[in-house]
Amino acid sequence: MFVASSFPVITAYHLDTLEPQQMRGALLSLMGELAERDGVIARQGQEVVFKQALIDKLMHENALLKRMKFAAQSERFSAEQKSLLDETLDEDLQAVADEIEQAMQPVAGRQDKQVPKRAPLPANLPRREIRHEPECTTCQTPGCGCQMKRIGEDVAEKLDYVPGVFTVERHIRGKWACAKCETLTQVPVDPHIIDKGIPTTGLLAQVLVAKYADHLPLYRQEAIFGRAGMVIPRSTLAQWVGTCGVQLQPLVDALRVDLLQHRVLHADETPVAMLKPGKGKTHRAYLWAYATGSFENTKAVVYDFCESRAGEHARTFLGTWKGSLVCDDFSGYKALLASGVTEVGCLAHARRKFFDLHAANQSQIAQSALEQLAHIYEIEREVKELSAEQRLAVRRERTKPLLDALHEWMTLQRRKVPDGSATARALDYSLKRWAALVRFVDDGQLPVDNNWIENQIRPIAVGRNNWLFAGSLRAGQRAAAVMSLIQSARMNGHDPWAYINDVLRRLPTQPNSRIAELLPHLWIQTTLAA
């Protein structure tokens, strides 16, 4: 919009009637006005260019965030590969949407956007009513003064939170004496994980679950407890965690023994920074994860914290175990495979190569491969709940012909593409591992991919953002032990706090010969006597 000029309009008639001096002044005024208008136009043009660039940048960022958040959902056969940062993505998406709205609409012309209807808050939550009523129920309209009547109400519910409240258990042991024989009798108290300490198993379970399941470091828990009115030094919390780690280790050892009784296992590993003693720097350690097969009746996972990614750690953990190991193509597993372990490939890894290729350059070969793999995964969804025998029959009848056709097609396409190209690498990944990738067709107990263990290793990747690093090898091993129990409890549908609380209460009196009763997949919760 042009700024209205305060200069008079000068016409040709006016110019003819003006003296030379006046004419020069009028021309200068006119030139000034034109220059001012040109400046306004230039500024408006720059503003339009800037806003459009900002909008384009935000639109691009929004598209990337949406792809990160929704790509795994839209890709029907890689739903387990969802981003580990869903919460951050939701925040970023909303922030970018608001910035785009601000850039596209002037403030004065902005309209309230439609807000989706909120789901009602759970009916089982306690309600505390806060009444908002006028102090005077007499009409305040000038000249009226009538008594008003209540005709209804508007109700808005807001979710509130009150931090946890500490309570104290008073263990009162009565002293009973015999006057005749002068003997004293007292009922003994059951032993505790920390006999002479102040924490109950409930408090210890809270500290462990908060640290290893909710990823709250001890200094944050110290602050939370302080706000609730109880000052517990971080050093004290650390001592509790160390003691519990030692007490729980036999249970983790028993879980590992039980795990190795199964014929099908999954394996994967993820990096974790570990502080190098004496140097104040970190180096890359690894947390290995081993889980029972996704079709096994027992649901269990054991984490093993190691200083490196060397294959010797996997050999040490598995020992003399011989079975079918579902894993990726990491070279650390090669020695195991040479010792008699059967390799089961991950079809999701093979599919991911083609997905990345298609996302990068819209490759027709990649698209065709994805479509063929989609049919295989469609069958897998149908047979997921069947028995191993039924699953095997369907795979041999329907899946094997599809895989044979896919292998023949891949071999033909590989001859057409040059060595070293991205397409060649994607094809080679599958062709070189074909025997392992299709092994599931001849065994109904084998899964089609390694996504099961990737789901179990996800909490480690989430927690890694909060830990920053493991303070020592021992600290990493203790974390791996506790997280093995917590994640296995989750896999079996247990509340981690209830499980850890009950195990810590029973563990001091549990015979070693019956330690397996406390394993997450065998655990039956007990209740305290009143």
Side-chain angles (χ1 to χ4, degrees), residues 84-376:
L84 301 177
L85 301 174
D86 278 348
E87 292 182 5
T88 302
L89 288 174
D90 287 337
E91 295 169 2
D92 290 346
L93 282 168
Q94 184 59 51
V96 170
D98 291 344
E99 291 181 33
I100 292 175
E101 184 180 357
Q102 291 176 5
M104 296 185 67
Q105 295 185 8
V107 176
R110 187 175 303 152
Q111 296 179 352
D112 292 337
K113 59 183 179 181
Q114 294 292 326
V115 178
K117 188 176 181 180
R118 183 186 300 117
L121 296 175
N124 63 307
L125 292 180
R127 259 69 175 172
R128 178 172 61 96
E129 292 188 353
I130 302 176
R131 294 285 179 175
H132 302 271
E133 305 288 357
E135 294 181 0
C136 179
T137 58
T138 301
C139 183
Q140 300 297 309
T141 303
C144 182
C146 294
Q147 182 65 32
M148 295 186 293
K149 294 182 179 180
R150 199 172 190 277
I151 60 172
E153 61 187 13
D154 291 326
V155 178
E157 292 192 337
K158 295 183 179 295
L159 189 62
D160 193 15
Y161 174 74
V162 177
V165 178
F166 286 99
T167 58
V168 177
E169 287 184 357
R170 299 188 69 209
H171 294 265
I172 303 174
R173 301 171 61 203
K175 294 182 178 182
W176 296 81
C178 177
K180 182 177 181 180
C181 61
E182 297 182 352
T183 58
L184 181 68
T185 301
Q186 279 187 297
V187 176
V189 176
D190 290 337
H192 289 230
I193 288 289
I194 303 178
D195 266 328
K196 296 182 180 180
I198 64 171
T200 65
T201 56
L203 179 55
L204 293 174
Q206 171 61 33
V207 173
L208 291 176
V209 171
K211 179 176 174 63
Y212 296 117
D214 301 328
H215 318 300
L216 288 174
L218 295 182
Y219 76 89
R220 295 184 186 173
Q221 296 193 53
E222 179 185 23
I224 293 172
F225 290 155
R227 291 197 299 269
M230 189 69 198
V231 178
I232 305 177
R234 193 181 322 170
S235 58
T236 301
L237 296 174
Q239 292 171 359
W240 294 353
V241 171
T243 299
C244 290
V246 172
Q247 297 292 333
L248 290 171
Q249 187 60 51
L251 189 57
V252 180
D253 295 339
L255 183 62
R256 173 180 173 271
V257 172
D258 192 291
L259 183 88
L260 296 179
Q261 303 303 312
H262 294 270
R263 182 176 66 87
V264 181
L265 295 181
H266 292 260
D268 200 3
E269 68 288 331
T270 188
V272 176
M274 187 181 80
L275 191 64
K276 198 70 172 178
K279 295 184 178 180
K281 297 181 180 179
T282 62
H283 79 284
R284 176 172 288 192
Y286 277 84
L287 193 139
W288 299 66
Y290 306 89
T292 52
S294 57
F295 293 125
E296 300 288 320
N297 292 327
T298 298
K299 305 300 181 185
V301 62
V302 176
Y303 303 114
D304 187 28
F305 188 88
C306 303
E307 289 188 285
S308 70
R309 202 185 183 192
E312 64 186 75
H313 299 303
R315 294 195 299 273
T316 300
F317 182 91
L318 295 176
T320 59
W321 177 82
K322 298 293 185 290
S324 298
L325 185 66
V326 188
C327 57
D328 56 23
D329 193 52
F330 172 50
S331 59
Y333 300 113
K334 298 303 180 185
L336 283 171
L337 305 179
S339 67
V341 174
T342 302
E343 179 186 11
V344 181
C346 174
L347 203 63
H349 276 77
R351 181 190 178 280
R352 206 170 299 158
K353 303 295 182 183
F354 292 108
F355 178 77
D356 292 340
L357 179 63
H358 185 266
N361 55 26
Q362 302 299 308
S363 166
Q364 293 299 315
I365 292 178
Q367 181 178 353
S368 180
L370 291 174
E371 291 173 353
Q372 294 181 68
L373 289 169
H375 295 307
I376 297 171

Side-chain angles (χ1 to χ4, degrees), residues 226-522:
R227 291 197 299 269
M230 189 69 198
V231 178
I232 305 177
R234 193 181 322 170
S235 58
T236 301
L237 296 174
Q239 292 171 359
W240 294 353
V241 171
T243 299
C244 290
V246 172
Q247 297 292 333
L248 290 171
Q249 187 60 51
L251 189 57
V252 180
D253 295 339
L255 183 62
R256 173 180 173 271
V257 172
D258 192 291
L259 183 88
L260 296 179
Q261 303 303 312
H262 294 270
R263 182 176 66 87
V264 181
L265 295 181
H266 292 260
D268 200 3
E269 68 288 331
T270 188
V272 176
M274 187 181 80
L275 191 64
K276 198 70 172 178
K279 295 184 178 180
K281 297 181 180 179
T282 62
H283 79 284
R284 176 172 288 192
Y286 277 84
L287 193 139
W288 299 66
Y290 306 89
T292 52
S294 57
F295 293 125
E296 300 288 320
N297 292 327
T298 298
K299 305 300 181 185
V301 62
V302 176
Y303 303 114
D304 187 28
F305 188 88
C306 303
E307 289 188 285
S308 70
R309 202 185 183 192
E312 64 186 75
H313 299 303
R315 294 195 299 273
T316 300
F317 182 91
L318 295 176
T320 59
W321 177 82
K322 298 293 185 290
S324 298
L325 185 66
V326 188
C327 57
D328 56 23
D329 193 52
F330 172 50
S331 59
Y333 300 113
K334 298 303 180 185
L336 283 171
L337 305 179
S339 67
V341 174
T342 302
E343 179 186 11
V344 181
C346 174
L347 203 63
H349 276 77
R351 181 190 178 280
R352 206 170 299 158
K353 303 295 182 183
F354 292 108
F355 178 77
D356 292 340
L357 179 63
H358 185 266
N361 55 26
Q362 302 299 308
S363 166
Q364 293 299 315
I365 292 178
Q367 181 178 353
S368 180
L370 291 174
E371 291 173 353
Q372 294 181 68
L373 289 169
H375 295 307
I376 297 171
Y377 270 92
E378 181 66 35
I379 296 173
E380 283 303 304
R381 279 194 296 276
E382 295 176 9
V383 302
K384 183 178 180 181
E385 303 300 331
L386 300 181
S387 67
E389 293 76 13
Q390 293 172 320
R391 192 179 303 114
L392 176 61
V394 174
R395 284 173 173 176
R396 285 179 171 174
E397 178 183 356
R398 298 173 56 189
T399 304
K400 191 175 187 305
L402 294 177
L403 287 170
D404 292 341
L406 177 60
H407 183 260
E408 183 178 353
W409 174 83
M410 284 185 177
T411 304
L412 178 62
Q413 297 302 319
R414 181 62 184 89
R415 297 172 185 163
K416 299 179 181 179
V417 298
D419 295 340
S421 64
T423 303
R425 290 194 297 270
L427 290 168
D428 286 342
Y429 182 90
S430 295
L431 291 173
K432 291 179 179 179
R433 300 161 182 79
W434 192 255
L437 288 174
V438 300
R439 193 154 277 139
F440 73 97
V441 175
D442 296 318
D443 189 340
Q445 200 65 18
L446 297 181
V448 69
D449 54 37
N450 208 23
N451 286 345
W452 175 248
I453 191 65
E454 292 190 9
N455 285 341
Q456 312 316 320
I457 212 169
R458 181 178 301 170
I460 309 303
V462 174
R464 188 169 51 207
N465 296 327
N466 294 274
W467 304 331
L468 299 182
F469 54 82
S472 65
L473 178 61
R474 182 182 293 272
Q477 292 171 341
R478 180 171 55 248
V482 179
M483 287 188 292
S484 297
L485 297 176
I486 288 176
Q487 186 62 19
S488 295
R490 281 174 166 171
M491 294 168 67
N492 288 275
H494 304 317
D495 170 28
W497 182 88
Y499 171 72
I500 296 295
N501 178 35
D502 191 57
V503 165
L504 289 177
R505 184 175 59 82
R506 296 164 59 183
L507 199 56
T509 58
Q510 188 78 5
N512 288 334
S513 59
R514 296 172 51 194
I515 195 74
E517 294 177 3
L518 302 182
L519 294 178
H521 56 281
L522 300 176

